[in-house]
Amino acid sequence: MRIEDYALLGDTRSAALVGRDGSIDWLCLPRFDSPSCFAKLLGDESNGFWRLAPAGYEMAARRAYTDDTLILETVWETSTGTVKVIDFMPPRQANPHLVRIVEGVSGTVDMTVEISIRFDYGRIVPWVRRFDGRLHAIGGPDSVWIDTPLHLEDSGDRYTGTFAIDAGQRQAFVFTWHPSHQPEPDHIDPVEQLAETRLFWEEWVFRCWLPSRCRAAAVRSLITLKALIYSPTGGIVAAPTTSLPEHLGGVRNWDYRYCWLRDAAMTLDALTESGYITEAGAWRDWLLRAIAGRPEDLQIMYGVAGERRLPEQTLNWLPGYEGSRPVRIGNDAAGQLQLDVYGEVLNCFYRAHKLGMPPHDYAWTIVCRLMDFIERSWNHPDEGLWEIRGPRRHFVHSKVMAWVAADRAVRMVGKFGHTGPVEDWRALRDRIHAEVCDKGFDPERGTFTQSYGSRELDAALLLIPIVGFLPPEDPRVIGTIEAVKRELTVDGFVLRYPTSESNDIDGLPGSEGVFLACSFWLAEALAIIGRKHEAMELFERLLALTNDVGLLAEEYDPVQGRQLGNFPQAFTHINLIHTAQALS
């Protein structure tokens, strides 16, 4: 199974990945960052999966989400008939549920069910018993109940069953998780939950405003972003997976099931621009809780409830996706200094307020304290946007975003009537701008560079006109865009930065694919400078990389023609939406 062979299911608290073969290979409960119940995605069948498919058939004929929802319909065409499997996770009220409904379309189809539950990322084999006609699996803190119309047989390492489905018939399976110390959960009505889930998503999508151009792709991206919001707190995860590789067989495998302030701020920017002010307010409240304390203690990422300790560990019993090891949980990048985050947060606050998010006195107090920290720290080297694990540098993008922080603070005083040392902030803004133009620009090549004194490029430089650091018509902007196109693209798609043995910028071995968000940045930058035909051509090529249900991972391998990295990736879908808006 390629990464793009999967589709997303979710209930805005956790998520599952289901493949074209009808197998659910990844599911973490009860939260995005909880240990998994199914981990075949990063191992094999012994690490847990749930397959529901016609006997003897490997891949479905086609699949699609039901209209503007997160309800997946997978259609199988066999020699004896056609069958549809409807997969969804109802928006949660108490316990999380995963529902699979088999529906006969024509003829008669023989179906097979195989389920192997493995808690703690495929390591714990649970104790399984039958209780009042339900299958019950328990292991440590985890407990799962399976409502099934079949008597599933114990086949040693899994439970299996077969049944025939005729045209017009339905058979429903419900997988319910709950803490093992709590009593047996109540049954749910799968058909009733299907209707309620459809209504939930349709009502949510109805609230959005989007340009007509490429609207279907933008709506699917918005639904994906909504699915990555942890609804009890408002925190937003970067992706629902861990350790899907940026290079097959390599070590660039990271856990993205956490809340990066940068990614979350960009997500909220995309949502507010599309009409979702409520989500912006919920995220602001999450942020205020998460970063409460000293500004210098601000982290670049947190857990979905604002947890600060995210220690990185390796799961040695998992062989990794296509042998890509190590498999990691947790993320040591939580302790890095990334100065650009402050600019992203203040930019998000500014834009959300412009679009109607109500003011909040405590939020402005936090803004002032963050600005105090920026004034003291903007001229320090940092790990930058790409979370390098090599030496800190004076990254140009980090300085540009420090400028954005000062600029947005000044604008919020002028536009919304806040009080603060605005003259000091204006002076800081001017000082950062002058230094970046002096130390971060290579006049010989006519381009900004990755860091002070470097000759390397960085795709993040494409954001210079997008965030307003320089006007689109400035020759330095044009020169930077041309340099990126010339030196940092593969088949027209954009790399984050050069990776080679001679350039050890990130302190890691191996290469990676082209970065899809960066490629959308190039399309948006081209649109901003007036080259909309070029921008549209690139945008349409990027849309062609989405899988059959409109999802994108973090990266793409143009040689092998396949997606790479954690999936689906919020950062990618955010910039799809921004580019669609720029082109309209």
Side-chain angles (χ1 to χ4, degrees):
M1 296 287 291
R2 292 188 170 201
I3 290 170
E4 59 265 33
D5 286 329
Y6 288 96
L8 176 72
L9 307 176
D11 62 1
T12 72
R13 295 192 186 191
S14 58
L17 293 187
V18 54
R20 283 176 176 270
D21 62 348
S23 180
I24 295 174
D25 293 344
W26 184 251
L27 174 62
C28 295
L29 294 173
R31 308 194 329 181
F32 292 107
D33 56 352
S34 298
S36 64
C37 302
F38 303 133
K40 180 185 172 186
L41 179 71
L42 300 177
D44 55 33
E45 291 185 348
S46 68
N47 301 120
F49 72 103
W50 181 10
R51 189 163 191 257
L52 184 55
Y57 285 80
E58 292 188 0
M59 294 289 178
R62 60 187 180 278
R63 59 183 182 168
Y65 288 112
T66 304
D67 301 323
D68 292 334
T69 73
L70 210 60
I71 300 167
L72 183 70
E73 295 187 356
T74 303
V75 177
W76 302 77
E77 295 176 350
T78 76
S79 58
T80 60
T82 301
V83 66
K84 179 193 298 180
V85 178
I86 303 169
D87 292 323
F88 65 98
M89 295 179 70
R92 197 179 307 178
Q93 297 175 354
N95 301 306
H97 303 285
L98 175 56
V99 181
R100 312 194 77 178
I101 300 174
V102 183
E103 184 178 287
V105 177
S106 65
T108 300
V109 179
D110 292 326
M111 301 290 293
T112 62
V113 182
E114 299 176 273
I115 185 165
S116 174
I117 302 167
R118 295 291 185 268
F119 297 127
D120 194 23
Y121 302 105
R123 186 170 64 167
I124 295 178
V125 179
W127 174 44
V128 182
R129 61 178 178 147
R130 289 185 173 86
F131 190 83
D132 290 342
R134 311 173 88 180
L135 206 61
H136 181 210
I138 188 169
D142 299 295
S143 178
V144 163
W145 296 80
I146 302 171
D147 292 295
T148 166
L150 309 179
H151 179 83
L152 298 179
E153 297 290 339
D154 185 353
S155 300
D157 63 340
R158 69 194 68 183
Y159 281 77
T160 62
T162 61
F163 64 99
I165 191 85
D166 296 325
Q169 287 186 332
R170 275 184 168 180
Q171 296 277 22
F173 301 79
V174 179
F175 179 100
T176 304
W177 180 95
H178 75 118
S180 59
H181 64 276
Q182 292 185 356
E184 177 183 0
D186 294 332
H187 294 263
I188 63 169
D189 183 329
V191 176
E192 181 181 287
Q193 290 297 315
L194 176 62
E196 291 186 8
T197 301
R198 178 166 187 153
L199 183 62
F200 169 85
W201 287 107
E202 288 179 342
E203 287 184 342
W204 187 81
V205 170
F206 182 76
R207 290 163 45 202
C208 84
W209 63 73
L210 278 173
S212 57
R213 173 171 283 180
C214 307
R215 189 178 189 279
V219 166
R220 178 51 53 193
S221 293
L222 280 173
I223 291 170
T224 303
L225 296 181
K226 172 65 172 176
L228 298 180
I229 297 175
Y230 184 66
S231 56
T233 66
I236 304 169
V237 299
T241 57
T242 179
S243 299
L244 289 179
E246 298 170 13
H247 176 70
L248 293 176
V251 301
R252 296 169 183 263
N253 318 314
W254 314 107
D255 193 348
Y256 277 14
R257 299 170 302 152
Y258 304 111
C259 304
W260 271 257
L261 297 191
R262 175 193 309 107
D263 297 46
M266 290 182 172
T267 298
L268 263 298
D269 197 22
L271 288 169
T272 52
E273 287 286 338
S274 304
Y276 294 102
I277 305 301
T278 301
E279 282 76 6
W283 178 78
R284 180 187 63 187
D285 293 344
W286 171 87
L287 176 70
L288 296 178
R289 294 190 302 270
I291 69 175
R294 299 184 305 168
E296 56 266 35
D297 293 335
L298 181 139
Q299 295 184 183
I300 58 102
M301 58 190 288
Y302 297 85
V304 294
E307 297 89 348
R308 297 190 176 209
R309 293 179 61 247
L310 308 173
E312 192 170 294
Q313 308 170 55
T314 60
L315 306 183
N316 295 325
W317 62 88
L318 287 174
Y321 179 85
E322 294 197 16
S324 304
R325 302 183 72 175
V327 172
R328 294 181 173 94
I329 60 171
N331 201 309
D332 283 345
Q336 290 189 348
L337 174 64
Q338 298 177 18
L339 292 170
D340 68 291
V341 165
Y342 298 85
E344 296 292 358
V345 170
L346 268 65
N347 183 56
C348 178
F349 276 4
Y350 171 68
R351 289 168 64 87
H353 281 306
K354 278 181 63 178
L355 292 166
M357 185 174 72
H360 190 296
D361 290 341
Y362 179 50
W364 180 247
T365 300
I366 292 292
V367 167
C368 293
R369 294 177 68 182
L370 294 180
M371 282 305 303
D372 289 342
F373 180 75
I374 283 290
E375 286 187 274
R376 298 194 306 269
S377 307
W378 73 270
N379 56 353
H380 294 173
D382 71 339
E383 278 90 2
L385 167 70
W386 306 126
E387 299 176 358
I388 63 162
R389 300 208 171 191
R392 289 182 175 180
R393 288 172 166 80
H394 289 282
F395 287 105
V396 170
H397 172 259
S398 296
K399 310 302 185 189
V400 168
M401 294 310 297
W403 174 90
V404 168
D407 179 73
R408 300 321 187 248
V410 169
R411 293 190 190 200
M412 282 189 275
V413 170
K415 191 172 183 65
F416 307 124
H418 294 301
T419 58
V422 67
E423 292 305 321
D424 291 342
W425 293 344
R426 284 197 182 99
L428 174 65
R429 180 179 62 180
D430 294 344
R431 190 161 64 252
I432 297 172
H433 197 281
E435 181 178 295
V436 170
C437 292
D438 177 43
K439 297 182 178 180
F441 185 74
D442 182 349
E444 181 182 331
R445 295 158 63 211
T447 180
F448 285 94
T449 59
Q450 184 176 55
S451 60
Y452 291 174
S454 167
R455 289 186 58 84
E456 302 291 351
L457 294 179
D458 191 317
L461 301 170
L462 293 167
L463 294 171
I464 286 174
I466 294 173
V467 300
F469 183 81
L470 286 173
E473 65 276 9
D474 192 291
R476 292 167 292 185
V477 168
I478 307 297
T480 300
I481 293 172
E482 288 297 337
V484 168
K485 285 187 63 180
R486 183 175 61 248
E487 302 178 28
L488 210 55
T489 59
V490 178
D491 194 27
F493 301 119
V494 183
L495 297 165
R496 292 190 298 172
Y497 47 82
T499 56
S500 65
E501 292 184 3
S502 61
N503 179 32
D504 61 347
I505 181 69
D506 57 17
L508 294 168
S511 59
E512 61 182 18
V514 295
F515 207 80
L516 294 173
C518 299
S519 301
F520 282 114
W521 288 345
L522 176 57
E524 185 176 359
L526 288 168
I528 287 174
I529 65 173
R531 290 155 60 171
K532 286 202 169 184
H533 180 71
E534 280 183 73
M536 195 63 201
E537 282 187 345
L538 177 56
F539 185 59
E540 288 176 346
R541 289 190 66 204
L542 287 163
L543 292 185
L545 301 183
T546 60
N547 72 355
D548 55 322
V549 291
L551 301 179
L552 287 166
E554 183 178 32
E555 299 183 5
Y556 179 74
D557 183 343
V559 177
Q560 297 191 42
R562 58 183 300 183
Q563 295 190 28
L564 296 172
N566 284 304
F567 173 89
Q569 177 77 4
F571 207 30
T572 305
H573 286 280
I574 292 163
N575 288 289
L576 186 158
I577 295 166
H578 283 318
T579 307
Q581 291 168 334
L583 286 167
S584 298

